[in-house]
């Protein structure tokens, strides 16, 4: 087994552990291990080509391929074999790109594999394409031939993270292949869909990715957010003591409500007698 991911491993198990796997046509013949069980007149090399120097004559190759495919068509695990062949092992690679398997040649399997990889869902409705922020980022990408994250974000009037997110949304909404679509492909599809005017597109390097790869640099923290912290708590203004030059503190009117602060409670305030004590009268003679 050459597959390494979960899907290819599952397909391999479904094929090799099938109850009829031992009766597959390309298995070794019990009486002659060098011949195929499905057709003892065929060598086991019929599904991969003979190990020989030089090119195989076209007539011999055609006869070999037709005979091997005839055995596949009557094989009890042909469907399971084909599913395993179509399994993907990452980066768009087939698990078994060579040989005749499941009743098809390697060329036919590669073509079917490529068609399946490029099958995408229906394009998003045009109403989802026309938002002010999406249009601003798309226009900025069209006018910046280098496709740089900072330049596109500055031209669109948004931060870098928002610009990259909207670029990724454009790739999805236009049904392009993520990780492979280029800036020119994205802009061409946007023009075709009527989301962008071709006259504003500035030509650039066709290899520029539609969405820049993520970088290790952390996003810049806004100054307002960086200043918020324990060391920047607003300092409470303490009540300043009255200076001698300013004169005595005003005395509240009688009966007026007095509001005391924490500073008033901690610092002694001057006391003004509102009702001076009357002179003590002497005892009666």
């Amino acid at each position: 087994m050459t597959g390494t991911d979960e899907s290819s491993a599952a397909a391999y198990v479904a094929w090799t552990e099938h109850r009829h796997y031992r009766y597959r046509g390309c298995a070794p013949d019990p009486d002659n291990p060098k011949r195929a069980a499905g057709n003892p007149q065929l060598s086991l090399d019929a599904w991969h080509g003979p190990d020989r120097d030089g090119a195989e004559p076209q007539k011999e190759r055609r006869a070999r391929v037709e005979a091997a495919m005839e055995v596949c068509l009557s094989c009890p695990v042909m469907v399971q074999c084909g599913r395993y062949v179509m399994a993907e092992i990452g980066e768009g690679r087939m698990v078994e790109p060579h040989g005749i398997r499941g009743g098809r040649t390697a060329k036919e399997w590669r073509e079917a594999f490529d068609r399946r990889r490029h099958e995408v869902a229906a394009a998003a409705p045009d109403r989802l394409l026309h938002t002010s922020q999406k249009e601003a980022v798309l226009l900025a990408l069209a006018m910046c031939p280098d496709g740089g994250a900072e330049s596109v974000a500055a031209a669109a009037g948004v931060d870098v993270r928002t610009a990259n997110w909207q670029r990724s949304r454009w790739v999805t909404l236009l049904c392009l292949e993520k990780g492979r679509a280029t800036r020119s492909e994205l802009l061409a599809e946007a023009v075709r869909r009527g989301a962008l005017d071709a006259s504003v597109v500035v030509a650039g390097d066709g290899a520029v990715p539609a969405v820049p790869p993520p970088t290790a640099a952390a996003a810049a923290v806004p100054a307002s957010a960086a200043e918020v912290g324990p060391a920047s708590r607003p300092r409470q203004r303490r009540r300043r003591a009255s200076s001698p030059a300013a004169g005595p503190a005003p005395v509240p009117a009688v009966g007026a409500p007095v509001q005391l602060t924490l500073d008033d409670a901690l610092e002694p305030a001057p006391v003004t007698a509102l009702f001076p004590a009357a002179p003590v009268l002497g005892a009666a003679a």
Side-chain angles (χ1 to χ4, degrees):
M1 181 178 76
T2 59
T4 57
D5 65 354
E6 183 178 358
S7 61
S8 62
Y12 182 80
V13 170
W15 176 44
T16 57
E17 293 188 3
H18 193 277
R19 60 176 181 171
H20 293 150
Y21 176 73
R22 69 175 67 182
Y23 304 115
R24 66 191 186 279
C26 59
D29 183 77
D31 298 330
N32 190 349
K34 293 184 178 181
R35 295 291 174 174
N39 185 353
Q41 297 181 356
L42 285 180
S43 169
L44 291 178
D45 296 333
W47 282 263
H48 299 277
D51 185 11
R52 53 185 291 180
D53 295 333
E56 182 181 12
Q58 185 176 2
K59 185 177 181 180
E60 294 182 8
R61 177 180 177 277
R62 184 181 297 111
R64 174 182 61 81
V65 170
E66 290 178 355
M69 292 179 64
E70 186 68 25
V71 173
C72 287
L73 294 177
S74 58
C75 179
V77 292
M78 181 185 70
V79 175
Q80 290 74 17
C81 179
R83 289 175 179 172
Y84 172 60
V85 174
M86 288 287 283
E88 186 173 351
I89 57 174
E91 300 181 358
R93 294 184 295 125
M94 292 177 59
V95 65
E96 291 290 352
H98 306 292
I100 301 170
R101 293 178 178 270
R104 294 187 181 184
T105 63
K107 180 177 181 295
E108 292 172 335
W109 280 122
R110 285 194 297 269
E111 292 174 350
F113 183 80
D114 291 339
R115 285 195 303 269
R116 189 188 68 178
R117 289 184 62 246
H118 288 87
E119 287 179 355
V120 294
D126 289 342
R127 61 181 174 81
L128 298 180
L129 305 180
H130 298 287
T131 64
S132 58
Q133 193 175 81
K134 282 186 178 65
E135 291 177 348
V137 171
L138 181 63
L139 180 60
L141 181 62
M143 299 176 62
C144 298
D146 62 342
E150 292 80 6
S151 58
V152 172
V158 296
D159 57 87
V160 174
R161 181 178 180 181
T162 300
N164 290 343
W165 184 83
Q166 290 291 12
R167 291 167 70 166
S168 178
R169 290 291 296 158
W170 274 113
V171 172
T172 301
L173 294 174
L174 295 176
C175 296
L176 299 175
E177 188 176 356
K178 285 188 175 182
R180 294 178 179 270
T182 63
R183 169 184 173 269
S184 58
E185 292 174 349
L186 189 152
L187 297 177
E189 183 62 19
V191 171
R192 190 188 70 82
R193 293 284 301 275
L196 184 66
D197 188 350
S199 62
V200 301
V201 178
V202 179
D205 184 3
V208 175
V211 181
T215 59
V221 180
S224 59
E227 294 173 358
V228 176
S232 60
R233 293 177 179 173
R235 304 178 63 180
Q236 296 182 353
R237 299 183 61 183
R238 295 179 62 101
R239 177 175 172 270
R240 299 182 62 181
S242 305
S243 59
V251 179
V254 177
V258 179
Q259 295 182 354
L260 298 179
T261 64
L262 181 62
D263 292 334
D264 294 327
L266 297 178
E267 298 180 3
V271 178
T272 303
L274 299 180
F275 302 98
V280 181
L281 300 179

